[in-house]
Amino acid sequence: MWAFFSRRLRTFLLAVVLAPVVAVVARRLAERVERAHPEPTVASRGLRLVESAAGTVRRVLR
C-alpha cells in the first residue's frame, strides 16, 4: 500500500510521524547529558538544536 502513495505524500507522512519522535528523543538525551554534567555541553546544546528544529518542522506542517 505504501507504494501507491505519491512521493510527496510519503515524505509528508514521514515528517509528521518522525518529527515528534525525534524531538522527544533529543530532549530526553539532552536532559540526561545535562544531569551528568553541571553545565550544558556541546552535545546537549546540539541535541537542543535538533529538538528545536523538529519543533519548527512540526509547526510548519500544521
Side-chain angles (χ1 to χ4, degrees), residues 2-25:
W2 186 252
F4 293 115
F5 292 137
S6 68
R7 183 175 180 191
R8 182 175 288 179
L9 180 61
R10 284 189 308 231
T11 304
F12 178 76
L13 288 174
L14 282 175
V16 166
V17 172
L18 288 181
V21 173
V22 168
V24 168
V25 170

Side-chain angles (χ1 to χ4, degrees), residues 4-52:
F4 293 115
F5 292 137
S6 68
R7 183 175 180 191
R8 182 175 288 179
L9 180 61
R10 284 189 308 231
T11 304
F12 178 76
L13 288 174
L14 282 175
V16 166
V17 172
L18 288 181
V21 173
V22 168
V24 168
V25 170
R27 182 182 323 117
R28 288 185 181 171
L29 287 173
E31 289 171 355
R32 183 175 292 173
V33 169
E34 289 170 353
R35 262 188 268 133
H37 300 284
E39 59 189 34
T41 63
V42 173
S44 67
R45 284 190 296 248
L47 289 166
R48 295 291 181 182
L49 284 173
V50 169
E51 178 188 3
S52 67

